[in-house]
Amino acid sequence: QVQLVESGGGLVQAGGSLRLSCAASGRIFRNYPMGWFRQAPGKEREFVAAIRSSDDTTYYADSVKGRFTIFRDNAKNTVYLQMNSLKPEDTAVYYCAVRFKVGMTTSQSEYDYWGQGTQVTVSS
């Protein structure tokens, strides 16, 4: 059974940093792209970052480019999201997801499995 478990969320002041982890199990994930999405209160879930499996090429939403970094440790079947220079508008529940198809996408409908989410709150 495929399972994704996020951790690392919490409360941080603006300008601070957090590192989110997404531990995957039930299948070998290194061959597939993985992504991070977030949903703020009262808003639609949106794309944050993704990493391609073949060459670890990364993609970012404009709102986080230069501040967030997605990377993966295939030996641990884990993908990370390093978040620096956090802003109050980054407050959201963050979800990781995996796409069991070749090819990168930022569309959440193209991802097959999702974690339960981890709350990130940035205070001003």
Side-chain angles (χ1 to χ4, degrees), residues 5 9-10 13-14 17 19 22 24-25 30 33 40-41 45 59 64 67-68 80-82 89 94 96 104 112-113 115:
V5 179
Q13 287 188 331
S17 298
R19 177 177 291 184
C22 174
S25 62
R30 63 174 176 265
R45 188 162 58 185
Y59 298 84
V64 306
R67 300 187 297 121
F68 290 11
Y80 302 91
L81 186 68
Q82 177 67 41
E89 51 263 45
Y94 284 71
C96 70
M104 176 58 64
D112 299 298
Y113 287 90

Side-chain angles (χ1 to χ4, degrees), residues 13-53:
Q13 287 188 331
S17 298
L18 282 175
R19 177 177 291 184
L20 305 183
S21 300
C22 174
S25 62
R27 193 163 173 176
I28 297 175
F29 287 78
R30 63 174 176 265
N31 296 326
Y32 303 102
M34 297 189 73
W36 284 95
F37 295 78
R38 67 186 181 186
Q39 187 167 21
K43 295 187 176 181
E44 299 286 323
R45 188 162 58 185
E46 64 178 5
F47 168 77
V48 175
I51 184 165
R52 196 162 63 185
S53 55

Side-chain angles (χ1 to χ4, degrees), residues 6 8 10 15-16 26 33-34 40 42 57 61-62 73-74 80 88-89 92-93 97 104 107-108 115 118 121 123:
E6 300 99 334
M34 297 189 73
T57 297
D62 288 342
D73 184 338
N74 289 330
Y80 302 91
E89 51 263 45
V93 177
M104 176 58 64
S107 171
Q108 55 184 304
T118 185
T121 303
S123 63

